[in-house]
Amino acid sequence: MDREELAAFLRDRRERIGPAEVGLPAGPRRRTPGLRREEVAQLAFVSTEYYTRLERARGPRPSREVLSGLVRALRLTDAERDHLHHLAGAPPAAPPGPPREVRQSILDLLSRLPGTAAIVTSAIGEVLAWNDLAAALMEDFSALSRRDRNLIRRVFLDAHPGGSYGVSDAAAFARDSAQRLRAASARYPDSPEVTGLVAELLAGSEEFGRLWEAYEVSVLPTPAKTFRHPVVGPLTVNCDALHVPDRDQRLALYTATPGSASEEALRLLSVVGAQRMDV
């Protein structure tokens, strides 16, 4: 435990946050910026004396419950939370499973990408968020259960007609999916969701079993792929994936080369939407 650094960090974050940010009145007689020590203590459910000792580098090592209260009281980001834990000599515990909550700024971004189909997936392949063009290109994910939105389960167990949306790189996607799941199983060894998915795939897919036993975790980028769409026919898109490290999620972007027939097909899909005109 680094008492001096912990004290300095707590003071700095306390002075940065205003009363209104935590639902407290500003009051006319505040002489220092930010919150008062007693206010932080109240929000963190600890005594003012205890919190004051922490800020003066004379307190005992705080428990994880106390640290959680301080994180909540000071509105710390995920990175600041981890830093607080390390300063207190209590490294943050591994998350119980892959995070599923998508950051609001990423959700806003999805709706601001005209001409781009975009999805957000979890560390184990669950589609967590998508824009309208992605639903038109791939599937109306809103009509599926959470279980059926898992792309790794879909590619190996083929729970729906159409398999992997008729993509040209189905074998490569299967291999990459197994590799990503292998890496995720190491990051979340105690997650029932992860271990259950692996067990289900091992029981239901010989192909997954072969790929799983290869113990590969190095995933190569996919520069482009072709979707065989039932309405507009085949269209080739560039594939770019951005990692969202604080949530262990991936933002996949599908764009067509400007001036190509595929760009025109994507434009048509943006008008048609997810409705099935071939039925």
Side-chain angles (χ1 to χ4, degrees):
M1 175 178 174
D2 191 332
R3 286 182 171 82
E4 294 293 337
E5 285 295 321
L6 176 62
F9 183 68
L10 289 174
R11 285 195 302 272
D12 178 80
R13 291 306 182 271
R14 174 173 62 81
E15 292 173 356
R16 290 190 184 199
I17 186 169
E21 296 179 65
V22 295
L24 295 174
R29 301 179 61 182
R30 287 186 179 270
R31 299 179 180 178
T32 57
L35 298 177
R36 299 187 179 101
R37 287 173 177 161
E38 58 267 27
E39 291 170 337
V40 174
Q42 180 182 6
L43 292 169
F45 299 108
V46 297
S47 70
T48 302
E49 178 185 2
Y50 178 84
Y51 179 76
T52 300
R53 291 176 64 193
L54 288 178
E55 273 207 10
R56 292 177 176 171
R58 295 204 299 264
R61 174 178 293 178
S63 66
R64 291 188 181 274
E65 289 76 14
V66 169
L67 292 174
S68 295
L70 293 173
V71 168
R72 182 178 59 252
L74 297 172
R75 301 296 194 270
L76 300 185
T77 65
D78 291 346
E80 291 170 336
R81 175 203 61 201
D82 291 350
H83 186 60
L84 175 68
H85 275 262
H86 285 295
L87 291 178
R100 298 188 65 254
E101 182 179 357
V102 180
R103 199 165 60 231
Q104 184 60 48
S105 59
I106 299 295
L107 295 175
D108 294 339
L109 177 63
L110 292 179
S111 63
R112 297 170 182 168
L113 293 171
T116 300
I119 62 173
V120 179
T121 57
S122 72
I124 59 172
E126 180 188 348
V127 178
L128 303 173
W130 56 92
N131 62 10
D132 291 341
L133 188 52
L137 174 64
M138 302 174 71
E139 186 166 13
D140 182 6
F141 296 107
S142 65
L144 302 179
S145 66
R146 174 185 170 187
R147 170 187 171 82
D148 291 337
R149 287 199 297 266
N150 188 290
L151 298 182
I152 300 180
R153 179 182 284 112
R154 178 178 184 125
V155 73
F156 287 108
L157 301 183
D158 196 15
H160 293 79
S164 302
Y165 308 108
V167 294
S168 57
D169 65 333
F173 181 73
R175 182 177 64 254
D176 292 349
S177 297
Q179 293 171 3
R180 294 185 192 282
L181 188 54
R182 168 67 75 178
S185 68
R187 295 195 298 274
Y188 308 102
D190 300 321
S191 168
E193 183 178 21
V194 177
T195 56
L197 177 60
V198 171
E200 180 184 359
L201 293 172
L202 287 173
S205 171
E206 294 183 2
E207 180 187 8
F208 178 79
R210 290 192 300 270
L211 294 170
W212 184 256
E213 291 305 318
Y215 284 91
E216 294 181 355
V217 294
S218 178
V219 178
L220 298 177
T222 302
K225 68 172 63 184
T226 298
F227 285 84
R228 291 185 291 274
H229 196 275
V231 175
V232 299
L235 65 162
T236 300
V237 293
N238 304 309
C239 305
D240 295 284
L242 305 179
H243 187 213
V244 186
D246 62 311
R247 304 295 171 92
D248 198 10
Q249 296 166 358
R250 295 174 74 245
L251 170 61
L253 305 171
Y254 303 112
T255 58
T257 301
S260 66
S262 293
E263 183 187 39
E264 184 62 31
L266 273 183
R267 188 177 295 114
L268 176 59
L269 279 180
S270 68
V271 176
V272 172
Q275 59 182 307
R276 291 290 304 276
M277 295 182 65
D278 60 319
V279 177

